[in-house]
Amino acid sequence: MTHRTARRAAPGLVLSLAVAGCMAVSSAQGSAVAGGASPASTASREGAEQRVAELVNRHRAARGCPALVWDDGAARVAAAHSRDMAARSYFSHTSPDGRSPFDRLDAAGIRWSTAAENIAQDPRGPDEVVRGWLASPGHRANIENCTLTRHGVGVSGQLWTHLFYTPAPR
């Protein structure tokens, strides 16, 4: 599991605030499935993504943070990153072509002032993914960052991406 957070300091400039290394991750043998989901697996995936959102917002509420607002654009970016990691067999915030979570937000036309990303590889499901993130100081800091206001989750097989952001002022 890894996390990454950044704040946009000026147009086009991103300052990295926190980058943590990978922590040990439980992983079953097998390959992640990318794309081509059947309606049943799509419903299951969407339920898993919503479960992560529910668990994260429950934790934030217990810490006095407002609930994150679900953002379909962020969810599409997160899901695309999870599918890309599965399809190209890597596990990183940075894609093999060098794109960061912040590049992906920009490419999707999402205007942000602060953004963060947690990723995980865990076949056991959303409860274990969130439990793992909360056990890691960097991931937990992203979840408990009360200045972040929107989020989306994407899963492909056992690869999870949780993307958080605060919209840039207009």
Side-chain angles (χ1 to χ4, degrees):
M1 295 185 190
T2 67
H3 81 281
R4 188 161 178 191
T5 308
R7 181 180 312 141
R8 190 179 296 280
L13 177 64
V14 175
L15 299 176
S16 179
L17 297 179
V19 179
C22 292
M23 75 183 239
V25 178
S26 298
S27 175
Q29 292 296 323
S31 62
V33 177
S38 68
S41 64
T42 299
S44 175
R45 184 194 74 238
E46 289 171 355
E49 293 163 351
Q50 289 301 317
R51 178 69 176 157
V52 168
E54 173 190 324
L55 291 169
V56 165
N57 275 332
R58 186 180 305 160
H59 180 81
R60 285 172 60 92
R63 299 297 180 269
C65 291
L68 292 162
V69 174
W70 184 263
D71 185 281
D72 287 335
R76 282 190 296 275
V77 172
H81 184 57
S82 290
R83 285 191 307 272
D84 186 53
M85 287 191 292
R88 297 203 274 173
S89 299
Y90 72 96
F91 181 70
S92 176
H93 295 287
T94 305
S95 65
D97 57 349
R99 290 171 32 113
S100 73
F102 319 113
D103 296 328
R104 292 187 290 274
L105 282 169
D106 291 342
I110 297 173
R111 293 175 35 91
W112 57 275
S113 61
T114 304
E117 179 180 79
N118 287 349
I119 61 175
Q121 183 174 9
D122 195 324
R124 297 171 293 177
D127 291 64
E128 289 302 316
V129 167
V130 172
R131 192 171 294 120
W133 283 336
L134 292 174
S136 161
H139 296 92
R140 184 182 199 104
N142 284 344
I143 290 169
E144 294 178 353
N145 183 340
C146 294
T147 66
L148 294 165
T149 59
R150 296 179 185 240
H151 71 147
V153 179
V155 63
S156 181
Q158 60 187 341
L159 295 166
W160 302 76
T161 303
H162 191 181
L163 191 57
F164 313 78
Y165 79 98
T166 302
R170 296 244 176 231

